[in-house]
């Protein structure tokens, strides 16, 4: 990927396309600028259709001005004419789609400009009509949009009547004419987008407009302005309404500019954003993790606020608000589950996979019930006894205010003490100096853990009860019924539990203002009650923090556009000068963004700032965690998420991660893994998070940002200065601020080169001998474990598989085993000619002619992208046929082997431990077996048998071990099976296996032979032999690293460790992923580095590590995501080398883009909303 200031902002072929799309968006749909030549009637028809609503409305307006019709009659006439015109337009589009031309035209598309190529055959031809009027997909939309077009024209005519405009502005004729002309342009733009052709909106939220909701966006905003005018017409004595109407008439003229700039949100984003704002600031709730939860919570919370208005008793209102505020702040999705746990023990719910399932116990239920009862009692008694007293500096309410101040100060100090940086600037002298080792870190921060527990007690128990007392003692509750009091106090009693830390700050600010303005006749004391004051202060607090964060983001973009050499473009200096000159405008934009809670959008990541449209706090549509790009790294994130969620529980509750509010983002880093944590919901003693896993891409931009993240964490958590001397944060300007470390159980990934191990001949000779011992142990324990379990009565005996031909073997084992048998492995004269003395073992060019002559072979074994076993740049068959040397075909002659007769054993235990009869049918002559029988380790076989426990056997358990070791029939059976598998895996000759052969056999790709064909036909035996071979490879690596074993006991202990604590296989296998999810302590695989031409090993170790975590600036993330959405959905700027994808060491732009929801981003893992308890 190219890096630097010369990277284009937009692909060359997309520039003209973007200009044409902007023109179409500004005009509401007419395509007056095309990427191809078109006849003039195409443009004339669009102009006629665009001005049609103005003409039809002008007819009614003229009749009204002449006194023929009244205003409502004028509106009805214009609306009826527009309805008829819209019906004709949609009918023409429907007929054009149904019309079948004699010769079907092949659709053409210009891939460079992403536009269709049209062929116009006439003014009213079907292609022309399809181009002008694409039509609707659904009949309901055809009817509904046509009716809405008539209503819109009727109300638009009424809204822009000249007499009405003149009276509204006091007889100013010039203003009336300007409003009339430009107002009708706005109406025509809205009508064209509704009924003729809907343009692509710059404010794009959904990827696909499935239900054609985009066409309703512009008419909706026009009708919203008309609704205010109608309210002004039919209401009397509403102060300020006429002024608002006058202002909105002027704003009505610039609606097309707002639509083109994308300031006004689409309808789906508007309603979700509106419900979030209503729930958070009007009802005291929190943004929800899903749209269904949001809608349900808004309805329930609104019903509670309405019900409080009709309660006649003030004591009843206080108790009702306290109880509902507490109940609605809990995790309602877990309430039913928690109630089910009351009569059941925690062990009965282990089958549930939710992170919080096994952590909700009796104490949680008792805690909630106790807090609920105490809160109701406190609120009711205090209000009943002392609620009627007026506020004074010595009253009990003032005492609760002072206590709230102290609690705010103490909790804030305790929270900052637990983070590595105070204020994000100075390093905390009390924080441990080195936290790289998890156990050492836990031991060093015992004091900080106690501080966190004390802070959790203050924020969970003490602070809510102090604020409940402060609210219950307010005498304004006696003025009920009142809408303002019901809304204000319902929200306040809910905020106490929903977001305790923010509510505590709001109470302290209101109390401080009340002390400063005591005994003054000001608007604050005269017109506002305490609940309304808290609502106002909470809104200002939220918007002020957003404004500060947006200003930090804007300053960072401006500063780095010149200070960072790789961000400096030729346009940087002029843009910075313009921002400085028009700083008041920039400040107004940031203030407006903060008021609307919308992101500040840096266009193409340049210091060109726009107002992003308001959207939900999750930033993306759709359910959380619905999509991700799965790959081989996904399973490692799945494994670590439960442990990470438990670590987040302690960190959030203690305050070491800062304020845990919806919209907060955190970043964790470990080896090649990056974890993105997004808080989507927050309530009393719980928070809901979405955890994403990012893939380490092999690009220079991605690597540069990851190195900066590592540098930030190393500077913070591997501090080399004086532990008690505070130091400055060198990366203060970065959007990532280190917070703490999280003890998390996850896999460490170690990769080593096996040079000097697998290529040494003595190690490979020893491996052939060790394979017999390992296979013997595997078979004995397999038969022992299988026979130890009593068979069900009537179980059929296992039958021998019929002989299979090589093609049948290949087809049968295609889905069962990762093995490929083909004639390409046989030694031919052509392959001998290709291999020379100078050929490298893993040389790609050495057998090119052989591979080309053999043609394309079926690929029966493949690995996941990025796995170690097979390089991404090599095809599987090409890798095996030309990278590794071919092996001779062994034993190709046909041999007829008779079914062996039953073997008489000396004891019942020998019969239980005997191998199946069909495993002793290998096509190996007795002479070869007798010759190779000297390899059989008789002492090792007896040692393994003596370690078995036959106490479960009813047949002479005391003499069974002696019978086993003295039974020649049992030994002969195992000798035949083991040596047959040895021949199948290595061949009958005494040649030394090459590293290439070892690697291929480890991955299940074994050269074809008669004995190998027989072994594959016995699937269970083949899997045991492959398992033994992989154990032997691991044994060879361990012996080369740690030394040889002194006796059989050490070897047996090592093999038992492999069986119990290890998974030895291939990373692309399904069993590997299952082992990771089951949290096997160790995993091992053999790989190959194609660049270096050497074999490698990969070992995963499950341990508890200290995972560094830092907090990201939320507004910087939202702003970059807003620009990403605009570039991808509107500008279609998907070039991977575009400027906005380049590395930015302060904004972490590349990582932020990757963390976005698909299809904009590319996380390899995204969890469902995880409800993390904070008790």
């Amino acid at each position: 990927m190219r890096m630097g200031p010369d990277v284009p902002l937009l692909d060359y072929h997309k520039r003209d396309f973007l200009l044409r799309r902007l023109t179409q968006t500004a005009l509401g749909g007419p395509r007056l600028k095309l990427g191809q030549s078109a006849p003039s009637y195409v443009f004339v028809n669009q102009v006629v259709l665009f001005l049609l609503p103005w003409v039809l409305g002008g007819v009614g307006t003229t009749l009204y001005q002449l006194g023929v019709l009244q205003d409502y009659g004028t509106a009805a006439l214009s609306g009826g004419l527009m309805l008829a015109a819209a019906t004709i337009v949609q009918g023409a589009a429907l007929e054009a789609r149904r019309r079948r031309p004699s010769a079907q035209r092949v659709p053409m598309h210009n891939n460079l400009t992403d536009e269709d190529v049209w062929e116009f055959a006439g003014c009213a031809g079907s292609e022309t009509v399809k181009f002008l009027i694409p039509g609707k997909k659904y009949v309901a939309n055809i009817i509904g949009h046509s009716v809405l077009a008539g209503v819109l024209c009727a109300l638009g005519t009424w809204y822009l009547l000249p007499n009405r405009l003149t009276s509204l502005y006091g007889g100013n004729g010039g203003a009336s004419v300007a409003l009339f002309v430009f107002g009708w342009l706005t109406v025509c733009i809205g009508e064209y987008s509704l009924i003729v052709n809907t343009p692509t909106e710059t404010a794009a939220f959904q990827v696909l407009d499935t239900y054609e909701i985009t066409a309703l966006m512009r008419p909706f905003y026009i009708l919203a302005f008309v609704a205010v005018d109608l309210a002004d017409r039919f209401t009397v004595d509403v102060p300020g309404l006429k002024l608002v109407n006058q202002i909105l008439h002027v704003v009505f003229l610039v609606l097309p500019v707002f639509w083109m700039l994308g300031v006004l949100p689409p309808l789906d984003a508007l309603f979700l954003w509106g419900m979030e704002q209503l729930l958070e600031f009007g009802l005291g709730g929190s943004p929800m993790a899903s749209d269904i939860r949001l809608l349900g919570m808004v309805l329930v919370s609104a019903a509670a606020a309405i019900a409080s208005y009709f309660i006649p008793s003030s004591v009843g209102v206080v108790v009702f608000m306290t109880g509902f505020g507490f109940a609605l702040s809990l995790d309602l999705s877990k309430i039913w589950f928690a109630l089910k746990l009351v009569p059941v023990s925690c062990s009965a719910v282990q089958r549930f996979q939710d992170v919080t399932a096994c952590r909700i116990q009796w104490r949680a239920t008792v805690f909630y019930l106790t807090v609920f009862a105490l809160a109701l009692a406190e609120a009711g008694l205090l209000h009943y006894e002392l609620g009627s007293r007026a506020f004074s500096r010595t009253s009990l309410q003032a005492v609760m205010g002072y206590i709230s101040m102290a609690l705010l100060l103490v909790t804030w100090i305790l929270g900052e003490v637990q983070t590595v940086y105070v204020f994000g600037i100075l390093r905390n002298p009390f924080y441990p100096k080195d936290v790289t080792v998890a156990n050492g870190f836990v031991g060093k921060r015992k004091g900080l853990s106690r501080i966190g527990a004390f802070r959790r007690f203050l924020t969970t128990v003490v602070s809510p009860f102090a604020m409940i007392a402060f609210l219950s003692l307010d005498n304004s509750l006696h003025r009920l019924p009142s809408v303002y009091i019901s809304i204000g106090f319902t929200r306040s009693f809910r905020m106490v539990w929903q977001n305790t830390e923010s509510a505590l700050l709001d109470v302290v600010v209101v109390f401080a203002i009340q002390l400063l303005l005591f005994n003054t006749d000001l608007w604050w004391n005269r017109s506002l009650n305490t609940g309304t004051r808290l609502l106002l202060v909470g809104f200002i607090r939220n918007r002020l923090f957003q404004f500060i964060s947006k200003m930090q983001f804007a300053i960072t973009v401006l500063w780095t556009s010149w200070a960072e050499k790789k961000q400096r473009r030729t346009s940087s200096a002029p843009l910075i000068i313009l921002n400085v000159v028009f700083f008041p405008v920039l400040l107004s934009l940031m203030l407006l963004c903060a008021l609307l809670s919308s992101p500040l959008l840096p266009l193409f990541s340049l210091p060109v700032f726009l107002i992003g449209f308001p959207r939900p706090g999750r930033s993306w549509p759709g359910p959380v965690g619905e999509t991700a790009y799965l790959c081989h790294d996904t399973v490692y994130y799945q494994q670590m998420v439960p442990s990470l969620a438990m670590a987040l529980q302690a960190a959030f509750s203690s305050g070491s991660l800062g304020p845990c509010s919806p919209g907060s983002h955190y970043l964790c880093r470990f080896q090649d893994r990056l974890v993105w944590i997004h808080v989507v919901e927050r309530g009393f003693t719980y928070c809901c998070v979405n955890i994403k896993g990012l893939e380490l891409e092999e690009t220079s931009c991605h690597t540069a940002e990851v190195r900066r993240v590592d540098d930030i964490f190393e500077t913070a958590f591997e501090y080399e200065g004086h532990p008690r001397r505070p130091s400055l944060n060198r990366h203060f300007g970065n959007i990532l601020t280190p917070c703490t470390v999280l003890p998390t159980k996850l896999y460490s990934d170690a990769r080593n080169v096996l040079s000097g191990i697998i290529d040494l001949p003595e190690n490979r000779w020893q491996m052939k001998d060790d394979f017999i011992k390992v296979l013997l142990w595997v078979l004995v324990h397999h038969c022992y474990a299988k026979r130890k379990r009593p068979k069900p009565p009537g179980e059929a005996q296992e039958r021998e598989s019929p002989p299979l031909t090589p093609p049948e073997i290949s087809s049968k084992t295609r889905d069962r085993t990762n093995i490929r048998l083909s004639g390409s492995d046989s030694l031919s004269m052509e392959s001998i000619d290709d291999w020379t003395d100078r050929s490298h073992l893993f040389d790609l060019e050495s057998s090119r002619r052989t591979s080309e002559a053999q043609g394309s072979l079926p690929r029966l074994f493949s690995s996941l992208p990025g796995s170690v076993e097979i390089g991404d740049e090599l095809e599987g068959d090409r890798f095996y046929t030309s990278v590794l040397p071919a092996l001779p075909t062994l034993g190709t002659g046909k041999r007829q082997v008779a079914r062996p007769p039953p073997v008489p054993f000396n004891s019942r235990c020998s019969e239980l431990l005997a191998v199946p009869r069909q495993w002793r049918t290998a096509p190996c002559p007795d002479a070869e077996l007798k010759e190779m029988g000297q390899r059989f380790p008789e002492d090792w076989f007896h040692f393994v048998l003596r370690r078995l426990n036959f106490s479960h056997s009813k047949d002479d358990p005391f003499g069974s071990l002696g019978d086993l070791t003295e039974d020649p029939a049992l030994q002969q059976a195992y000798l035949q099976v083991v040596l047959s598998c040895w021949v199948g895996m290595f061949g009958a000759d005494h040649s030394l296996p090459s590293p290439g052969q070892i690697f291929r056999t480890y991955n299940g790709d074994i050269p074809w032979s008669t004995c190998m064909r027989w072994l594959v036909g016995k699937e269970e035996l083949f899997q045991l032999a492959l398992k033994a071979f992989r154990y032997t490879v691991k044994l060879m690596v361990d012996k080369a690293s740690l030394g040889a074993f002194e006796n059989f006991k050490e070897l047996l202990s090592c093999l038992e460790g492999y069986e119990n604590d290890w998974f030895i296989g291939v990373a692309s296998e399904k069993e590997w992923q299952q082992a990771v999810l089951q949290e096997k302590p160790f995993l091992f695989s053999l790989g190959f580095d194609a660049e270096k031409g050497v074999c490698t090993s990969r070992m995963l170790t499950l341990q508890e590590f200290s995972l560094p975590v830092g907090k990201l600036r939320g507004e910087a993330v939202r702003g970059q995501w807003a620009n990403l959405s605009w570039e991808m959905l509107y500008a279609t700027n998907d070039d991977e080398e575009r400027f906005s994808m380049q590395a930015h060491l302060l904004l972490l732009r590349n990582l932020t883009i990757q963390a976005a929801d698909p299809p904009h981003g590319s996380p390899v893992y995204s969890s469902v909303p995880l409800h993390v308890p904070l008790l």
Side-chain angles (χ1 to χ4, degrees), residues 463-749:
S463 297
F465 281 97
M467 289 185 285
I468 288 292
F470 180 84
L471 295 174
S472 302
L473 293 171
D474 196 84
N475 63 350
S476 59
L477 288 167
H478 289 277
R479 305 174 192 167
L480 294 170
S482 171
V483 175
Y484 299 107
I485 294 178
S486 297
I487 294 176
F489 276 95
T490 300
R491 175 193 176 277
S492 301
F493 277 102
R494 170 94 177 263
M495 277 286 293
V496 165
W497 309 102
Q498 190 82 48
N499 195 342
T500 305
E501 297 175 12
S502 298
L504 188 61
L505 177 60
D506 296 344
V507 168
V508 169
V509 172
V510 168
F511 175 67
I513 295 176
Q514 199 166 356
L515 289 178
L516 294 175
L517 302 180
F518 188 67
N519 291 331
T520 57
D521 188 18
L522 294 177
W523 169 76
W524 176 269
N525 292 329
R526 184 176 62 253
S527 303
L528 298 180
N529 57 76
T530 303
T532 308
R533 296 169 188 164
L534 288 172
L535 190 152
L536 183 61
V537 169
F539 181 82
I540 295 175
R541 174 205 22 100
N542 180 272
R543 284 351 190 210
L544 178 61
F545 289 166
Q546 284 195 36
F547 177 76
I548 295 173
S549 182
K550 293 178 195 298
M551 183 177 292
Q552 291 176 338
F553 175 50
I555 293 174
T556 302
V557 174
L558 281 168
W559 172 257
T560 55
S561 65
W562 180 261
E564 293 286 336
K565 184 178 179 180
K566 293 182 179 180
Q567 305 299 325
R568 190 184 305 167
R569 302 175 62 90
T570 56
S571 60
S572 297
L575 290 176
I576 293 175
I577 294 173
L578 288 176
N579 279 277
V580 172
V581 173
F582 295 99
F583 180 74
V585 177
L586 177 61
L587 202 64
S588 302
L589 288 178
M590 290 187 290
L591 183 60
L592 186 57
C593 284
L595 291 176
L596 296 176
S597 188
S598 60
L600 182 66
L601 192 153
L603 194 63
F604 293 110
S605 296
L606 295 174
V608 179
F609 299 102
L610 300 176
I611 301 176
F613 66 87
R615 65 198 75 193
R618 303 193 304 272
S619 296
W620 305 110
V624 175
E626 183 182 37
T627 56
Y629 293 101
L630 303 183
C631 73
H632 66 286
D633 284 341
T634 302
V635 65
Y636 305 114
Y637 291 110
Q638 289 178 329
Q639 176 272 326
M640 69 181 295
V641 160
S643 176
L644 179 60
M646 295 181 63
L648 287 174
Q649 172 186 352
F652 281 139
S653 59
S654 64
S656 58
L657 293 180
C660 173
S661 57
S664 299
H665 297 267
Y666 301 90
L667 184 67
C668 303
R669 168 79 170 146
F670 178 75
Q671 290 188 349
D672 61 346
R673 272 159 271 175
L674 285 163
V675 181
W676 191 284
I677 303 171
H678 181 198
V679 181
V680 294
E681 183 180 335
R682 173 67 193 270
F684 182 62
T685 68
Y686 86 95
C687 71
C688 187
V689 299
N690 169 232
I691 299 178
K692 295 178 181 178
L694 309 185
E695 183 181 16
L696 181 60
E697 300 176 353
E698 297 298 331
T699 61
S700 56
C701 295
H702 194 93
T703 305
E705 292 188 356
V706 169
R707 288 176 181 171
R708 176 54 59 90
V709 172
D710 291 337
D711 185 32
I712 293 174
F713 284 140
E714 289 175 3
T715 304
F717 299 116
E718 299 178 18
Y719 183 60
E720 298 180 355
H722 193 277
R724 297 300 179 185
R725 185 180 302 167
S727 61
L728 294 176
N729 180 9
R730 293 189 302 165
H731 303 281
F732 174 69
N734 201 287
I735 67 169
L736 178 65
T737 301
C739 295
T740 185
V741 293
L742 303 176
T744 307
K745 194 176 183 181
L746 45 80
Y747 282 99
S748 63
D749 195 344

Side-chain angles (χ1 to χ4, degrees), residues 852-867:
E852 294 174 355
Q854 291 170 352
S856 177
L857 299 176
R859 184 173 183 175
L860 301 183
F861 176 81
S862 61
S863 65
L864 289 174
S867 64

Side-chain angles (χ1 to χ4, degrees), residues 632-633 636 672 749-752 866-869 1067 1072 1083-1087 1096-1100:
H632 66 286
D633 284 341
Y636 305 114
D672 61 346
D749 195 344
R751 309 182 189 226
N752 300 309
S867 64
V868 179
E869 287 70 22
W1072 179 281
L1083 290 90
F1084 175 86
S1085 69
L1086 187 67
T1096 60
S1097 67
R1098 182 185 185 188
M1099 189 175 72
L1100 301 183

